[in-house]
Amino acid sequence: MTGLKDRIKARIAAQGPLTVAEYMATCLGDPDEGYYTTRDPFGEKGDFITAPEVSQMFGELVGAACLSAWEALGRPERFELVELGPGRGTLMADLLRVAALRPAFVDAARLNLVETSPHLRQVQTETLQASPLKPHFCERFADVPDGPMILVANEFFDALPIHQFMRTPEGWRERCIGLSAEGHLTFGAGTARLPEAAIPASIASAPAGAICETQPAANAIAEDIGRRIADHGGAALIIDYGYLKTAPGDTLQALYRHAFDPVLAHPGDADLTAHVNFEALAAAAVSAGATALPPLTQGDFLLRSGLLERAGALGAGKSHGEQEAIRDAVERLAAPDRMGDLFKVLALTSSGLAFPPFDSAR
Ligand code: SAH
């Protein structure tokens, strides 16, 4: 049993059940024993491998999209380049290597990394040592300076706390974590209700026992991004696994040493995520004045951005083994049954901005 599990139990015993959001926030962000606070969870030795860690091509193509956004914005002389949750800093290092081909982009950019984990901040600083920009660290997105902005976020929003509600005969009641008679962590229905007015039509007819999720923390950040973009001009690329239309379902999942794990089994030692509701994310940004372009799957985004051409160039003159590894990375990133379909890419822009490879807003 982890120390954190004991502390969570003691807290429940003293103060009552935790919401799923409180549980997630504690497991991931506890200052002493939170998952992200205490470790580097990425790569073969960690619990999961993210797209930038699969291949440099991912960050390079995201970098090319950022360059085209900067062109479309009229090459602002000063802008905030922002990454939310940069992990090891790999995506940003690959992005900046491409961006460095356009020195005016680099000269205009101020690099802001939004990262809560002191350990990962250090890893990011090391990864970016040879990059042309030195990072300014922000605790929260709200701390990023105002101004024209180009923002990227890969697998950031899935780590933000969600709430879950269960359909019961008395309406949608918040799903909570309490203690069983034997003293184990267990799910149950709490007393809080989802207000009828907040229930989208697409879940209103869900049967008893159904679960629906809300993501107020993610939506609040999307709204803030939307406001900045609407006020000062800019573009954001949000990449994550998730769904395009609001629907009932329990997407809370724990990953422990590359395998799914019961959500309540290893608090603080397992990664805990939820699928992102892209419809809600886009609506939050649009409510603040930004434009949300029709989202693409990660596979479509990468292929439209020139993944195959980049793979060909990268493999030219390399050994058979290296070419094989590049082909494998292409599969992994873009094939529909790998990351290609589950991951989505949402582009937010200021009004009227053309942002290839996305189609313009309908
Ligand atoms: N983008 C990286 C890492 C994804 S993991 C990649 O693709 O490899 C999630 C990242 O978000 C980690 O860096 C984690 O420390 C950070 N993070 C999680 N919750 C956060 C929060 N509330 N505020 C800021 N950063 C957070």
Side-chain angles (χ1 to χ4, degrees):
M1 187 186 290
T2 62
L4 186 59
K5 197 179 214 173
D6 282 340
R7 286 202 283 127
I8 289 173
K9 287 182 177 180
R11 181 168 153 197
I12 294 172
Q15 298 168 10
L18 297 181
T19 64
V20 168
E22 288 167 332
Y23 180 74
M24 260 183 108
T26 304
C27 291
L28 297 178
D30 182 82
D32 298 318
E33 294 175 284
Y35 181 73
Y36 283 117
T37 332
T38 52
R39 73 197 71 210
D40 176 350
F42 315 103
E44 303 289 347
K45 291 211 187 67
D47 293 304
F48 56 92
I49 301 176
T50 58
E53 304 295 337
V54 168
S55 167
Q56 67 183 75
M57 295 183 287
F58 184 81
E60 289 169 351
L61 296 176
V62 169
C66 290
L67 282 177
S68 74
W70 179 71
E71 297 282 352
L73 285 166
R75 305 182 181 191
E77 280 176 18
R78 199 102 194 90
F79 74 97
E80 306 301 327
L81 179 61
V82 184
E83 183 172 2
L84 306 179
R88 280 185 179 162
T90 309
L91 188 160
M92 188 48 71
D94 294 334
L95 183 161
L96 288 176
R97 208 175 44 253
V98 167
L101 301 175
R102 207 77 61 85
F105 177 97
V106 173
D107 289 345
R110 181 159 46 189
L111 177 59
N112 303 274
L113 301 183
V114 179
E115 176 59 69
T116 38
S117 157
H119 171 66
L120 288 176
R121 283 184 182 197
Q122 205 178 330
V123 176
Q124 291 153 17
T125 304
E126 283 161 24
T127 306
L128 294 170
Q129 208 84 64
S131 293
L133 293 173
K134 292 285 152 267
H136 300 263
F137 285 103
C138 303
E139 190 69 19
R140 305 170 308 148
F141 174 67
D143 300 336
V144 173
D146 262 344
M149 177 174 81
I150 296 178
L151 176 144
V152 297
N154 185 60
E155 291 209 43
F156 168 77
F157 283 94
D158 64 60
L160 299 182
I162 59 150
H163 292 263
Q164 290 190 324
F165 294 86
M166 277 190 331
R167 184 88 194 237
T168 73
E170 307 92 55
W172 290 93
R173 288 174 59 186
E174 179 143 25
R175 197 175 184 220
C176 285
I177 292 141
L179 293 176
S180 69
E182 300 79 34
H184 300 306
L185 293 178
T186 182
F187 282 109
T191 47
R193 306 276 170 92
L194 190 62
E196 290 296 323
I199 300 168
S202 54
I203 64 162
S205 59
I211 288 177
C212 80
E213 299 178 339
T214 63
Q215 50 179 38
N219 294 347
I221 296 176
E223 189 178 332
D224 206 359
I225 292 171
R227 187 175 309 111
R228 302 272 190 117
I229 285 179
D231 288 352
H232 304 281
L237 269 183
I238 296 171
I239 308 161
D240 225 308
Y241 44 94
Y243 46 102
L244 296 177
K245 288 272 168 242
T246 304
D250 172 10
T251 75
L252 184 65
Q253 65 184 37
L255 210 55
Y256 184 55
R257 300 181 182 154
H258 290 275
F260 288 110
D261 196 53
V263 165
L264 304 179
H266 296 105
D269 287 331
D271 183 34
L272 212 52
T273 62
H275 288 204
V276 174
N277 180 341
F278 277 94
E279 183 180 32
L281 213 58
V286 167
S287 77
T291 300
L293 301 179
L296 295 173
T297 63
Q298 175 168 304
D300 283 343
F301 168 75
L302 292 175
L303 292 170
R304 288 185 185 198
S305 301
L307 178 64
L308 299 181
E309 294 79 355
R310 181 69 194 116
L314 197 60
K318 298 267 170 66
S319 70
H320 180 73
E322 286 167 313
Q323 290 178 346
E324 200 56 42
I326 292 168
R327 256 195 300 277
D328 185 57
V330 168
E331 278 282 306
R332 203 155 158 179
L333 292 172
D337 58 342
R338 309 290 292 279
M339 300 175 88
D341 263 6
L342 177 58
F343 283 75
K344 314 289 190 299
V345 188
L346 174 66
L348 305 172
T349 68
S350 36
S351 156
L353 197 79
F355 192 12
F358 294 88
D359 299 323
S360 42
R362 280 180 291 241

